[in-house]
Amino acid sequence: MAEIKDIEVIKTTKSRFDPALLENPGFGVLFSDHMCSMDFSGGRWAAPKIVPFAKIEVSPALTVLHYGQAIFEGLKAFRTKDGRVNIFRPEKYHERMLRSCARLCIPPVDYNDFISGLETLLKTDSVWVPSKRGQALYIRPFIFATDEYLGVKVSDTYKFLIITSPVGAYYKEGINPVRLTTPGEYVRAVKGGLGSAKTPANYAASLLPAEEAKKKGFTQVLWLDAIEKKYVEEVGTMNMFFHIGDELATPSLEGSVLPGVTRDSVIHIAKDWGLKVVERKISIDEVFAASNKGILKEAFGTGTAAVISPVGEICHDNACVTINNGQTGPLSRKLYDYITGMQYGDEPDRYGWVHTING
Ligand SMILES: *Cc1c(COP(=O)(O)O)cnc(C)c1O
């Protein structure tokens, strides 16, 4: 167990809080009153502090602006019926943050600093955790290089911030299937590159292909492996699952796929439900063949923001398959209900994944 440290809290004198803001918070546009801030210099992280959410002044020569040495995380806090706040699997997100840090040469942040800073921030901004089902407080920890220097090198100084944003239900009417297309010539990540780290560079690489896909009416891009352009990898914000015959298959993590926490939760839960869950290579041809044979029951993406996102259609090389008649399938629905049930404290915390904060 981590020991929650005493953390300095500098409160804002100008709270922006208004309950009306939580009626329809949107996604990632509204920010709570405070943030957690911690600086690295002289070879060590200073203690985390809670400070008012505010603009930060930076040098135009800040290395992260030029060379992208940065990482981020994304997790959520939920308001339970009895008024407490649940964070879902914070250890797992922190563990991934450490792996991202290692790949980007960023000094690691201790779990104790991470969880103490986060808990204190959530207690300070408790009113910002919305209480309607489907709503949550999205938590965005991130670290960036702050040396002022134009040479390419590992920075000697960093800033770690946690900001939070009340978010509405990801889907207006329950869960709605998305349409995906493979990205033609473009690739997202290659084994040995940055694909398994949660770093802004991966998103920068995905913007143009995503824009082109959106112009053609697709929701997002379904990335294939960068070498053979044959195997399904992920969606860039979500990992992928295919219910084929009696098997629930997901692409294996081989260095170019981001190891999603929701992916890991789904694997555990589906196995406990008696499903045959396999992590393996899945070619796009297999997905199309399974659909033609009538054994592709469901496809869905997994990620913190949407939890489970059913896939209604996949297009590749001028051909398309419709999955489960473009409807949300029973397994997607059941997983969504079960995972959100655990997050809001309505289902028992069978796996010890729920970190509850009182008051
Ligand atoms: C964050 C992310 C995911 C989803 O991971 P979760 O931990 O389930 O939120 C999938 N792919 C990429 C590239 C991501 O950055």
Side-chain angles (χ1 to χ4, degrees), residues 72-75 92-93 96 138 140 188 195-199 202-203 223 234-240 256-265 302-307:
F72 66 98
E73 270 304 327
L75 65 163
K92 194 80 184 164
Y93 289 94
R96 179 172 66 196
Y138 186 79
R140 169 53 57 87
R188 189 190 87 98
S196 63
K198 215 163 169 78
T199 180
N202 290 326
Y203 284 78
W223 295 101
E234 63 161 296
V235 178
T237 54
M238 301 191 301
N239 295 108
M240 280 299 300
S256 49
V257 171
L258 198 280
V261 175
T262 321
R263 174 187 182 277
D264 182 78
S265 304
T302 63
T304 298
V307 188

Short mmCIF file of all heavy atoms in Angstrom, two decimals, residues 72-75 92-93 96 138 140 188 195-199 202-203 223 234-240 256-265 302-307, ligand 1:
data_model
loop_
_atom_site.label_atom_id
_atom_site.label_comp_id
_atom_site.label_asym_id
_atom_site.label_seq_id
_atom_site.Cartn_x
_atom_site.Cartn_y
_atom_site.Cartn_z
N PHE A 72 2.25 10.96 -21.56
CA PHE A 72 1.03 11.30 -20.83
C PHE A 72 0.29 10.04 -20.43
O PHE A 72 0.64 8.94 -20.85
CB PHE A 72 0.12 12.22 -21.66
CG PHE A 72 -0.46 11.58 -22.91
CD1 PHE A 72 -1.75 11.06 -22.89
CD2 PHE A 72 0.26 11.53 -24.08
CE1 PHE A 72 -2.31 10.50 -24.04
CE2 PHE A 72 -0.29 10.96 -25.24
CZ PHE A 72 -1.57 10.45 -25.22
N GLU A 73 -0.71 10.22 -19.57
CA GLU A 73 -1.59 9.13 -19.17
C GLU A 73 -3.03 9.63 -19.25
O GLU A 73 -3.27 10.83 -19.37
CB GLU A 73 -1.26 8.64 -17.75
CG GLU A 73 -0.23 7.53 -17.73
CD GLU A 73 -0.65 6.34 -18.59
OE1 GLU A 73 -1.85 6.06 -18.70
OE2 GLU A 73 0.23 5.69 -19.18
N GLY A 74 -3.97 8.73 -19.14
CA GLY A 74 -5.38 9.12 -19.14
C GLY A 74 -6.16 8.10 -18.32
O GLY A 74 -6.19 6.92 -18.67
N LEU A 75 -6.71 8.54 -17.19
CA LEU A 75 -7.53 7.65 -16.36
C LEU A 75 -8.74 8.42 -15.87
O LEU A 75 -8.94 9.58 -16.26
CB LEU A 75 -6.71 7.02 -15.24
CG LEU A 75 -6.10 7.85 -14.12
CD1 LEU A 75 -5.72 6.96 -12.96
CD2 LEU A 75 -4.84 8.57 -14.59
N LYS A 92 -2.02 0.45 -12.32
CA LYS A 92 -1.76 -0.04 -13.67
C LYS A 92 -1.40 1.13 -14.62
O LYS A 92 -0.51 1.00 -15.47
CB LYS A 92 -3.02 -0.78 -14.15
CG LYS A 92 -2.84 -1.63 -15.35
CD LYS A 92 -2.21 -2.96 -15.01
CE LYS A 92 -1.96 -3.75 -16.29
NZ LYS A 92 -1.01 -4.86 -16.05
N TYR A 93 -2.09 2.24 -14.47
CA TYR A 93 -1.77 3.41 -15.30
C TYR A 93 -0.38 3.94 -14.93
O TYR A 93 0.39 4.34 -15.80
CB TYR A 93 -2.83 4.50 -15.12
CG TYR A 93 -4.18 4.17 -15.73
CD1 TYR A 93 -5.19 3.58 -14.98
CD2 TYR A 93 -4.44 4.43 -17.07
CE1 TYR A 93 -6.43 3.27 -15.53
CE2 TYR A 93 -5.67 4.13 -17.64
CZ TYR A 93 -6.66 3.54 -16.86
OH TYR A 93 -7.88 3.23 -17.42
N ARG A 96 2.31 1.79 -16.44
CA ARG A 96 2.52 2.09 -17.87
C ARG A 96 3.25 3.42 -18.03
O ARG A 96 4.11 3.56 -18.91
CB ARG A 96 1.18 2.14 -18.59
CG ARG A 96 1.34 2.48 -20.07
CD ARG A 96 0.06 2.35 -20.83
NE ARG A 96 -0.93 3.32 -20.40
CZ ARG A 96 -2.22 3.22 -20.68
NH1 ARG A 96 -2.68 2.21 -21.38
NH2 ARG A 96 -3.06 4.14 -20.27
N TYR A 138 -12.20 13.04 -15.92
CA TYR A 138 -11.06 12.51 -16.67
C TYR A 138 -9.79 13.10 -16.06
O TYR A 138 -9.72 14.29 -15.76
CB TYR A 138 -11.20 12.91 -18.15
CG TYR A 138 -10.13 12.29 -19.02
CD1 TYR A 138 -10.24 10.96 -19.43
CD2 TYR A 138 -9.01 13.03 -19.40
CE1 TYR A 138 -9.25 10.39 -20.20
CE2 TYR A 138 -8.02 12.46 -20.18
CZ TYR A 138 -8.14 11.14 -20.58
OH TYR A 138 -7.15 10.58 -21.34
N ARG A 140 -5.70 13.64 -16.44
CA ARG A 140 -4.62 13.65 -17.42
C ARG A 140 -3.27 13.99 -16.76
O ARG A 140 -2.93 15.13 -16.57
CB ARG A 140 -4.95 14.68 -18.51
CG ARG A 140 -3.84 15.02 -19.49
CD ARG A 140 -3.19 13.84 -20.19
NE ARG A 140 -4.10 12.98 -20.92
CZ ARG A 140 -4.46 13.16 -22.20
NH1 ARG A 140 -4.00 14.16 -22.87
NH2 ARG A 140 -5.28 12.29 -22.79
N ARG A 188 1.28 3.79 -38.31
CA ARG A 188 1.29 4.50 -37.03
C ARG A 188 2.61 4.31 -36.29
O ARG A 188 3.24 5.26 -35.86
CB ARG A 188 0.14 4.01 -36.13
CG ARG A 188 -0.07 4.83 -34.87
CD ARG A 188 -1.04 4.16 -33.90
NE ARG A 188 -0.36 3.23 -33.03
CZ ARG A 188 0.05 3.49 -31.79
NH1 ARG A 188 -0.20 4.65 -31.25
NH2 ARG A 188 0.68 2.58 -31.08
N GLY A 195 5.46 2.99 -30.50
CA GLY A 195 4.06 2.55 -30.45
C GLY A 195 3.55 2.08 -29.11
O GLY A 195 2.38 2.25 -28.80
N SER A 196 4.43 1.49 -28.28
CA SER A 196 3.93 0.98 -27.01
C SER A 196 4.07 2.01 -25.88
O SER A 196 3.74 1.72 -24.74
CB SER A 196 4.66 -0.32 -26.64
OG SER A 196 6.02 -0.07 -26.47
N ALA A 197 4.57 3.20 -26.22
CA ALA A 197 4.65 4.28 -25.21
C ALA A 197 3.50 5.25 -25.42
O ALA A 197 3.09 5.47 -26.56
CB ALA A 197 5.98 5.01 -25.33
N LYS A 198 2.98 5.81 -24.34
CA LYS A 198 1.91 6.80 -24.48
C LYS A 198 2.60 8.15 -24.59
O LYS A 198 2.89 8.80 -23.59
CB LYS A 198 0.97 6.71 -23.27
CG LYS A 198 -0.47 6.99 -23.66
CD LYS A 198 -1.45 6.53 -22.60
CE LYS A 198 -2.84 7.04 -22.87
NZ LYS A 198 -3.55 6.31 -23.92
N THR A 199 2.85 8.56 -25.80
CA THR A 199 3.64 9.77 -26.06
C THR A 199 2.99 10.56 -27.20
O THR A 199 2.42 9.96 -28.12
CB THR A 199 5.11 9.37 -26.39
OG1 THR A 199 5.87 10.56 -26.63
CG2 THR A 199 5.22 8.46 -27.59
N ASN A 202 3.03 9.72 -31.24
CA ASN A 202 2.16 8.75 -31.91
C ASN A 202 0.89 9.42 -32.42
O ASN A 202 0.35 9.04 -33.46
CB ASN A 202 1.77 7.62 -30.95
CG ASN A 202 2.94 6.72 -30.64
OD1 ASN A 202 3.80 6.48 -31.49
ND2 ASN A 202 2.99 6.22 -29.41
N TYR A 203 0.42 10.38 -31.65
CA TYR A 203 -0.81 11.09 -32.05
C TYR A 203 -0.52 12.03 -33.21
O TYR A 203 -1.34 12.18 -34.12
CB TYR A 203 -1.41 11.79 -30.83
CG TYR A 203 -2.10 10.78 -29.95
CD1 TYR A 203 -1.37 9.95 -29.10
CD2 TYR A 203 -3.46 10.58 -30.05
CE1 TYR A 203 -1.99 8.97 -28.35
CE2 TYR A 203 -4.09 9.61 -29.30
CZ TYR A 203 -3.35 8.81 -28.45
OH TYR A 203 -3.97 7.83 -27.72
N TRP A 223 -5.48 0.75 -37.62
CA TRP A 223 -4.08 0.63 -38.04
C TRP A 223 -3.68 -0.82 -38.28
O TRP A 223 -4.02 -1.71 -37.50
CB TRP A 223 -3.15 1.22 -36.97
CG TRP A 223 -3.36 2.69 -36.83
CD1 TRP A 223 -4.06 3.33 -35.85
CD2 TRP A 223 -2.88 3.70 -37.71
NE1 TRP A 223 -4.05 4.68 -36.08
CE2 TRP A 223 -3.35 4.94 -37.21
CE3 TRP A 223 -2.12 3.71 -38.89
CZ2 TRP A 223 -3.06 6.15 -37.83
CZ3 TRP A 223 -1.84 4.91 -39.51
CH2 TRP A 223 -2.31 6.11 -38.98
N GLU A 234 -4.27 -1.64 -33.84
CA GLU A 234 -5.20 -0.98 -32.92
C GLU A 234 -5.82 0.21 -33.62
O GLU A 234 -5.62 0.42 -34.82
CB GLU A 234 -4.46 -0.55 -31.65
CG GLU A 234 -3.37 0.48 -31.92
CD GLU A 234 -2.98 1.24 -30.65
OE1 GLU A 234 -3.84 1.96 -30.12
OE2 GLU A 234 -1.83 1.09 -30.20
N VAL A 235 -6.59 1.00 -32.87
CA VAL A 235 -7.26 2.14 -33.49
C VAL A 235 -6.55 3.48 -33.18
O VAL A 235 -6.92 4.53 -33.69
CB VAL A 235 -8.75 2.17 -33.07
CG1 VAL A 235 -9.50 3.35 -33.64
CG2 VAL A 235 -9.44 0.90 -33.56
N GLY A 236 -5.52 3.46 -32.35
CA GLY A 236 -4.79 4.71 -32.09
C GLY A 236 -5.26 5.39 -30.83
O GLY A 236 -4.54 6.18 -30.23
N THR A 237 -6.49 5.10 -30.39
CA THR A 237 -6.95 5.54 -29.07
C THR A 237 -7.59 4.35 -28.36
O THR A 237 -7.98 4.45 -27.20
CB THR A 237 -8.02 6.65 -29.16
OG1 THR A 237 -9.07 6.17 -30.00
CG2 THR A 237 -7.46 7.92 -29.74
N MET A 238 -7.70 3.24 -29.09
CA MET A 238 -8.37 2.05 -28.54
C MET A 238 -7.65 0.79 -29.03
O MET A 238 -7.16 0.74 -30.16
CB MET A 238 -9.80 1.95 -29.08
CG MET A 238 -10.69 3.12 -28.77
SD MET A 238 -12.40 2.74 -29.18
CE MET A 238 -12.32 2.39 -30.92
N ASN A 239 -7.67 -0.23 -28.20
CA ASN A 239 -7.23 -1.56 -28.63
C ASN A 239 -8.42 -2.29 -29.24
O ASN A 239 -9.57 -1.92 -29.02
CB ASN A 239 -6.67 -2.34 -27.43
CG ASN A 239 -5.42 -1.68 -26.88
OD1 ASN A 239 -5.43 -1.10 -25.81
ND2 ASN A 239 -4.34 -1.77 -27.62
N MET A 240 -8.14 -3.33 -30.04
CA MET A 240 -9.21 -4.01 -30.77
C MET A 240 -9.44 -5.45 -30.28
O MET A 240 -8.49 -6.15 -29.93
CB MET A 240 -8.87 -4.08 -32.26
CG MET A 240 -9.14 -2.80 -33.02
SD MET A 240 -10.88 -2.27 -33.01
CE MET A 240 -11.70 -3.66 -33.78
N SER A 256 4.47 -2.50 -31.00
CA SER A 256 3.92 -1.37 -31.76
C SER A 256 2.49 -1.06 -31.34
O SER A 256 1.88 -0.11 -31.85
CB SER A 256 3.98 -1.66 -33.26
OG SER A 256 3.47 -2.94 -33.52
N VAL A 257 1.94 -1.85 -30.42
CA VAL A 257 0.58 -1.63 -29.94
C VAL A 257 0.66 -1.10 -28.50
O VAL A 257 1.49 -1.55 -27.72
CB VAL A 257 -0.22 -2.96 -29.97
CG1 VAL A 257 -1.56 -2.81 -29.28
CG2 VAL A 257 -0.39 -3.44 -31.40
N LEU A 258 -0.19 -0.12 -28.19
CA LEU A 258 -0.19 0.43 -26.85
C LEU A 258 -0.87 -0.57 -25.89
O LEU A 258 -1.98 -1.02 -26.17
CB LEU A 258 -0.97 1.76 -26.88
CG LEU A 258 -0.84 2.80 -25.76
CD1 LEU A 258 -1.70 2.45 -24.56
CD2 LEU A 258 0.58 3.07 -25.35
N PRO A 259 -0.21 -0.93 -24.80
CA PRO A 259 -0.83 -1.87 -23.85
C PRO A 259 -1.94 -1.20 -23.04
O PRO A 259 -1.68 -0.62 -21.98
CB PRO A 259 0.33 -2.33 -22.96
CG PRO A 259 1.39 -1.31 -23.14
CD PRO A 259 1.14 -0.54 -24.40
N GLY A 260 -3.15 -1.25 -23.52
CA GLY A 260 -4.28 -0.57 -22.89
C GLY A 260 -4.65 -1.21 -21.56
O GLY A 260 -4.65 -2.44 -21.43
N VAL A 261 -5.01 -0.38 -20.60
CA VAL A 261 -5.47 -0.88 -19.31
C VAL A 261 -6.86 -1.50 -19.48
O VAL A 261 -7.17 -2.55 -18.91
CB VAL A 261 -5.48 0.25 -18.24
CG1 VAL A 261 -6.08 -0.24 -16.92
CG2 VAL A 261 -4.07 0.77 -18.02
N THR A 262 -7.70 -0.88 -20.32
CA THR A 262 -9.03 -1.44 -20.57
C THR A 262 -8.90 -2.79 -21.27
O THR A 262 -9.64 -3.73 -20.98
CB THR A 262 -9.88 -0.47 -21.40
OG1 THR A 262 -9.63 0.86 -20.96
CG2 THR A 262 -11.36 -0.78 -21.29
N ARG A 263 -7.95 -2.88 -22.20
CA ARG A 263 -7.66 -4.16 -22.87
C ARG A 263 -7.36 -5.24 -21.83
O ARG A 263 -7.91 -6.34 -21.87
CB ARG A 263 -6.46 -3.96 -23.82
CG ARG A 263 -5.94 -5.24 -24.50
CD ARG A 263 -4.65 -4.91 -25.27
NE ARG A 263 -4.12 -6.06 -25.98
CZ ARG A 263 -3.36 -7.00 -25.42
NH1 ARG A 263 -3.03 -6.93 -24.14
NH2 ARG A 263 -2.92 -8.02 -26.15
N ASP A 264 -6.48 -4.90 -20.88
CA ASP A 264 -6.11 -5.85 -19.84
C ASP A 264 -7.32 -6.22 -18.98
O ASP A 264 -7.51 -7.40 -18.65
CB ASP A 264 -5.01 -5.20 -18.97
CG ASP A 264 -4.51 -6.14 -17.89
OD1 ASP A 264 -3.71 -7.03 -18.21
OD2 ASP A 264 -4.96 -6.00 -16.72
N SER A 265 -8.16 -5.25 -18.66
CA SER A 265 -9.36 -5.54 -17.85
C SER A 265 -10.29 -6.49 -18.60
O SER A 265 -10.80 -7.45 -18.03
CB SER A 265 -10.12 -4.24 -17.52
OG SER A 265 -9.28 -3.32 -16.88
N THR A 302 -11.39 -0.94 -27.13
CA THR A 302 -11.38 -0.70 -25.69
C THR A 302 -10.46 0.46 -25.37
O THR A 302 -9.36 0.57 -25.92
CB THR A 302 -10.87 -1.93 -24.92
OG1 THR A 302 -9.50 -2.19 -25.31
CG2 THR A 302 -11.71 -3.17 -25.18
N GLY A 303 -10.92 1.34 -24.50
CA GLY A 303 -10.08 2.48 -24.08
C GLY A 303 -10.75 3.17 -22.90
O GLY A 303 -11.95 3.03 -22.69
N THR A 304 -9.97 3.92 -22.14
CA THR A 304 -10.48 4.57 -20.94
C THR A 304 -11.64 5.52 -21.25
O THR A 304 -12.62 5.56 -20.51
CB THR A 304 -9.33 5.33 -20.24
OG1 THR A 304 -8.36 4.36 -19.87
CG2 THR A 304 -9.80 6.10 -19.03
N ALA A 305 -11.53 6.27 -22.33
CA ALA A 305 -12.54 7.29 -22.63
C ALA A 305 -13.91 6.66 -22.87
O ALA A 305 -14.89 7.02 -22.24
CB ALA A 305 -12.12 8.14 -23.81
N ALA A 306 -13.98 5.69 -23.80
CA ALA A 306 -15.28 5.12 -24.19
C ALA A 306 -15.56 3.78 -23.51
O ALA A 306 -16.67 3.27 -23.62
CB ALA A 306 -15.32 4.94 -25.70
N VAL A 307 -14.59 3.22 -22.85
CA VAL A 307 -14.62 1.89 -22.22
C VAL A 307 -14.72 0.81 -23.31
O VAL A 307 -13.72 0.17 -23.62
CB VAL A 307 -15.73 1.71 -21.17
CG1 VAL A 307 -15.56 0.39 -20.43
CG2 VAL A 307 -15.74 2.88 -20.20
C1 LIG B 1 -4.41 5.27 -24.30
C2 LIG B 1 -4.40 4.49 -25.54
C3 LIG B 1 -5.18 3.33 -25.73
C4 LIG B 1 -6.18 2.83 -24.71
O1 LIG B 1 -5.59 2.48 -23.51
P1 LIG B 1 -6.42 2.47 -22.14
O2 LIG B 1 -5.39 2.27 -21.10
O3 LIG B 1 -7.39 1.36 -22.22
O4 LIG B 1 -7.09 3.81 -22.04
C5 LIG B 1 -5.03 2.62 -26.92
N1 LIG B 1 -4.17 3.03 -27.88
C6 LIG B 1 -3.41 4.14 -27.74
C7 LIG B 1 -2.47 4.52 -28.81
C8 LIG B 1 -3.50 4.92 -26.57
O5 LIG B 1 -2.75 6.01 -26.45
#
